[in-house]
Amino acid sequence: MEEFLQHILNGLILGGTYALLGIGLTLIFGIMNVVNFAHGEFYTLGAYTTFLFLALLETNFFLALLGAVASGILLGAICERLLLRPLLGESIDTTMLVMIGVWIAMQNAELTLWGGVAKSIDHPFPQPPLTLGPLSVAPLRLFVLGAAVLLIAGSHLLIHRTRLGRAMRATFQDRETAALMGVDIHRIHTVTFAFGSGLAAGAGALLGPVFVVYPAMGDPAALKAFVVVILGGLGNFAGATLGGLILGIAEELGAGYISSGYRDAVGFAIIILVLLLRPSGLFARAERVG
Amino acid sequence: MRHTRIAGILLSAILVGGLAVPAGWAQQDPVKIGVIQPLSGPVAASGNYVRMGTEIARDWINARGGVLGRQIQLVIEDNKSDPKEAASAAEKLIVRDKVPAIMGAWGSSMTLAVMPKLEEYGVPMVVETSSAASITKKGNPWVFRISPPSEMEALGLGKYLGDLGVKRADFLAVNTDWGRGAVAAFGDILKKRGANVGAVEFMEQAATDMSAQITKIRGTGGDTLFLTTSVEQITLVLKQGQEQRLGRKIVTTGGSSSPDQLVRQAGAAAEGTYHILFFLPWFPEAMPDGKLAKAFVDEWTKRGHPFAGLTEGFRGHDGILTIVEAIRTAGKAEAKAIQAALWKVSLMGVNGPIKFAKDGPPGKESGQSQPSIFVVQIKGGKVTLPAFMAKK
């Protein structure tokens, strides 16, 4: 039982960051109809920017996190403006190929810039874990969970409570009609891509200090994000949030009670089941189209 | 008329001379040696350290006049920590660069992926790091290993098990040929010495979150955790073990643990951990050839390479030295002759004596050298020789 509770706690913390990764990816897909293969690279970008701020510019830890999110937003916006806007209305395959190119270019740029040796990010939280009975958790991980929850809640408010969010949802439902109603589609696309990339960079900045930072770190992260998005249904915000938590807990329990060698296989086994049984995702509403 | 004849003689002289010059150059062509290492990807740090070691060996050998009167040139390929890439790197080295010998490919899975290519083209490879037993058991006569397989390492550790106080051990290993091989080898030795084996857990090579495995291991009530993976993942396991109050004696195997990097990146979480190593750069005088070891450490430091990389870097040096010695013995830089000469090689590397014994199915044996094995402990943020090692 003690072990079970610890697994659930680990899974929740891990799932929070999976959700953060999945939300960015699902928004970009839902609103822009772009399969963002470079999503993992924005995660890596966030981690390296945090490292840059802390180790080289020696700023405050929290400032570094903000800097990382800003770097994701900025590069995301540039990427959308330069590469995706000219392709507006092209087939999904074309933009997918472009994003695969961005993925390869960004990963190799990181390798050139930082070298292949993993970097470690210092953080101001105490090393000894907090304990509650048999449960044990590092303060840093609690902070990561808290920050992830805040970011997810903030995103939810942005999409459901603001004018901009309403315009995003309108674009999601029908791009042409939204344009006819006076929504600036170009602007919505830039904002969406920048926002999604910012969330990915945020996830990288939060997890960088927990793990180690290296150029290929985005690949497994992007894979998880795709699992989350398929679990929750393409373009489904709430689905991505729940999908992230489910994946985190399923991986933990799979590794804990089935076999740790198959930990990553658990996520993909779930995907296969979901695609067979509920191809539009676990949380797809009947009336949603696209 | 006479002028024409003179011109003709001059012309032929120029032509002959002209032809002679490229022929002369050809003799001065450097001897190419292929190197396959993970220069990017999850184990890039280790691969780059090995590369730095090969470059020291190259420069030292070239400064002494090279081999067969020619300089040596390394053709270094990145296997991206990926077996598929390792196989294509080998193919490229053999087919395009026409190297007569290769050193590589760090990880066991990468080495195993390269091996069929060696057999296909008939090119020998000196294996500098990989420790899966299967490498020299497959009946591939082109493989010569200077690193210890897990069995040899486990046997080497066996005599210290009492000093370490191992009664009930758990295993956490990377889910590769190396990790699975180490679990089997160390598990055998432990059982033979009357210790119990508890949980056996695995992690993917690129995995970053090992909390599920650690939670499970925490529940077994063992006293020691044997950890087999790259230094990046060791760092993560130590940190996450501390987060969950794992409270175990930890022994890392495989010689890739780079204790200095652990002290820097895992901090207090690395305190008290034991590491099996094949080089002691902190105590070069304790190595079989203290003078060579000291010279290597000094050269490494002079080049500004990180000290933490020395426990990997020496392998690159020893691997290249072995190949060059074989080329010298063979008297020519041809694959088949180098393969035959590798059996006759006997030299002193940074790790100690290198000499190949036969291993694997009769008639198709691979070469296996018997390297020196050491144990160190991190104490007070420093690498120390445990008392039982010092009294040896």
Side-chain angles (χ1 to χ4, degrees):
Chain A
M1 191 60 200
E2 291 169 8
E3 207 177 301
F4 179 74
L5 286 177
Q6 180 79 48
H7 278 311
I8 296 290
L9 179 66
N10 297 344
L12 273 178
I13 292 177
L14 199 60
T17 50
Y18 286 171
L20 212 51
L21 275 164
I23 289 170
L25 192 62
T26 214
L27 281 179
I28 291 172
F29 179 80
I31 295 174
M32 303 175 63
N33 208 24
V34 168
V35 183
N36 185 10
F37 270 96
H39 201 61
E41 294 320 305
F42 286 95
Y43 171 82
T44 315
L45 174 78
Y48 272 116
T49 310
T50 312
F51 177 79
L52 174 82
F53 270 72
L54 281 174
L56 304 180
L57 308 178
E58 295 178 356
T59 61
N60 175 287
F61 179 72
F62 303 96
L63 195 67
L65 295 185
L66 286 179
V69 174
S71 76
I73 291 176
L74 192 68
L75 202 69
I78 293 173
C79 192
E80 197 282 333
R81 186 69 192 79
L82 292 183
L83 298 172
L84 291 173
R85 185 169 302 179
L87 296 173
L88 189 68
E90 292 279 340
S91 83
I92 191 166
D93 301 336
T94 312
T95 51
M96 193 163 76
L97 284 176
V98 169
M99 293 325 290
I100 289 177
V102 173
W103 167 28
I104 296 171
M106 280 180 77
Q107 190 167 109
N108 283 284
E110 278 140 11
L111 187 62
T112 315
L113 228 82
W114 299 103
V117 178
K119 308 247 187 280
S120 181
I121 298 177
D122 291 327
H123 59 83
F125 295 93
Q127 283 286 346
L130 299 171
T131 54
L132 177 73
L135 296 181
S136 170
V137 61
L140 173 66
R141 287 210 184 214
L142 275 187
F143 168 74
V144 168
L145 182 63
V149 168
L150 270 182
L151 278 173
I152 293 170
S155 310
H156 177 83
L157 289 179
L158 176 83
I159 288 167
H160 291 275
R161 294 278 186 275
T162 65
R163 239 181 106 78
L164 177 68
R166 196 183 308 142
M168 284 165 83
R169 280 180 290 142
T171 313
F172 173 80
Q173 282 175 359
D174 190 319
R175 185 189 291 164
E176 276 77 31
T177 314
L180 288 173
M181 297 299 138
V183 173
D184 182 350
I185 300 295
H186 287 312
R187 188 167 143 258
I188 294 301
H189 278 202
T190 312
V191 167
T192 304
F193 201 87
F195 183 65
S197 304
L199 284 180
L206 287 172
L207 286 184
V210 178
F211 304 136
V212 287
V213 183
Y214 59 95
M217 68 187 280
D219 293 349
L223 271 179
K224 305 283 182 202
F226 276 100
V227 175
V228 168
V229 169
I230 293 171
L231 265 181
L234 298 168
N236 189 335
F237 182 95
T241 313
L242 283 171
L245 294 176
I246 290 175
L247 179 67
I249 292 172
E251 274 189 359
E252 276 283 325
L253 295 180
Y257 295 104
I258 301 172
S259 160
S260 50
Y262 289 90
R263 180 179 182 141
D264 286 353
V266 172
F268 293 102
I270 296 178
I271 278 206
I272 292 171
L273 284 179
V274 166
L275 287 177
L276 283 175
L277 304 174
R278 286 190 64 101
S280 45
L282 284 180
F283 312 103
R285 271 177 252 117
E287 76 271 21
R288 238 194 77 244
V289 189
Chain B
M1 198 62 199
R2 235 170 81 198
H3 284 283
T4 331
R5 267 184 68 185
I6 292 171
I9 289 165
L10 277 175
L11 188 66
S12 2
I14 290 166
L15 274 176
V16 170
L19 285 175
V21 171
W25 281 347
Q27 230 158 37
Q28 287 313 305
D29 258 2
V31 176
K32 283 184 183 174
I33 298 172
V35 175
I36 304 174
Q37 286 295 314
L39 304 179
S40 58
V43 292
S46 302
N48 278 293
Y49 293 146
V50 173
R51 172 185 57 81
M52 293 169 186
T54 62
E55 288 163 356
I56 291 183
R58 174 197 64 198
D59 295 346
W60 278 359
I61 291 164
N62 283 341
R64 289 198 298 260
V67 63
L68 311 177
R70 292 156 69 181
Q71 296 279 291
I72 63 165
Q73 181 198 342
L74 303 179
V75 187
I76 302 170
E77 286 293 320
D78 180 8
N79 67 27
K80 302 185 182 149
S81 315
D82 179 344
K84 294 188 294 293
E85 297 278 350
S88 51
E91 189 134 33
K92 186 240 164 203
L93 284 173
I94 297 169
V95 175
R96 191 154 8 124
D97 298 311
K98 306 206 167 16
V99 300
I102 298 176
M103 190 204 87
W106 201 79
S108 294
S109 299
M110 303 165 218
T111 301
L112 285 164
V114 168
M115 281 164 52
K117 298 283 171 207
L118 304 176
E119 225 167 355
E120 188 183 337
Y121 294 104
V123 171
M125 178 160 90
V126 169
V127 177
E128 85 297 339
T129 305
S130 314
S131 32
S134 53
I135 288 172
T136 46
K137 303 282 185 208
K138 277 196 181 307
N140 186 329
W142 300 94
V143 167
F144 293 81
R145 170 154 64 179
I146 59 171
S147 55
S150 301
E151 281 74 10
M152 222 175 241
E153 202 188 319
L155 219 56
L157 184 80
K159 53 181 178 282
Y160 305 124
L161 283 180
D163 296 304
L164 284 167
V166 182
K167 292 206 176 58
R168 193 185 159 83
D170 301 302
F171 287 90
L172 178 55
V174 60
N175 196 5
T176 61
D177 297 298
W178 170 39
R180 292 191 170 263
V183 168
F186 281 88
D188 274 357
I189 289 288
L190 286 170
K191 281 179 204 144
K192 271 187 202 139
R193 307 261 164 170
N196 291 313
V197 172
V200 174
E201 299 298 323
F202 293 98
M203 51 201 163
E204 290 312 312
Q205 200 177 6
T208 44
D209 192 282
M210 272 65 81
S211 42
Q213 288 91 326
I214 291 170
T215 300
K216 211 165 150 189
I217 289 165
R218 203 179 62 173
T220 65
D223 52 46
T224 309
L225 172 65
F226 281 89
L227 189 55
T228 306
T229 185
S230 62
V231 62
E232 287 85 358
Q233 259 184 346
I234 293 174
T235 311
L236 291 170
V237 171
L238 293 182
K239 277 165 113 175
Q240 289 167 24
Q242 187 194 38
E243 285 172 11
Q244 289 202 32
R245 294 176 298 159
L246 184 60
R248 291 293 157 84
K249 197 179 304 141
I250 290 178
V251 181
T252 73
T253 83
S256 282
S257 45
S258 185
D260 290 309
Q261 193 172 331
L262 291 177
V263 168
R264 212 174 48 247
Q265 300 207 336
E271 191 61 22
T273 52
Y274 291 93
H275 308 277
I276 301 178
L277 293 179
F278 315 129
F279 182 34
L280 302 171
W282 311 270
F283 324 104
E285 63 288 346
M287 298 297 293
D289 184 345
K291 225 173 102 199
L292 174 63
K294 178 87 173 52
F296 186 74
V297 173
D298 289 345
E299 178 67 24
W300 186 274
T301 320
K302 203 176 88 191
R303 290 181 182 220
H305 297 334
F307 190 85
L310 273 161
T311 47
E312 292 278 354
F314 81 94
R315 308 168 192 273
H317 170 270
D318 286 5
I320 295 300
L321 199 66
T322 307
I323 291 176
V324 169
E325 177 63 14
I327 294 174
R328 199 186 58 76
T329 313
K332 54 187 167 186
E334 279 166 24
K336 187 93 188 116
I338 296 175
Q339 181 208 19
L342 275 164
W343 289 112
K344 297 180 210 137
V345 158
S346 171
L347 70 146
M348 191 56 118
V350 171
N351 168 269
I354 296 171
K355 192 172 177 15
F356 295 104
K358 292 192 167 173
D359 195 13
K364 303 170 72 182
E365 293 98 338
S366 308
Q368 173 67 57
S369 180
Q370 178 150 18
S372 321
I373 290 163
F374 314 92
V375 182
V376 300
Q377 187 184 18
I378 295 177
K379 232 171 162 178
K382 285 210 164 58
V383 181
T384 62
L385 269 184
F388 59 83
M389 276 293 297
K391 80 180 174 231
K392 185 191 73 156

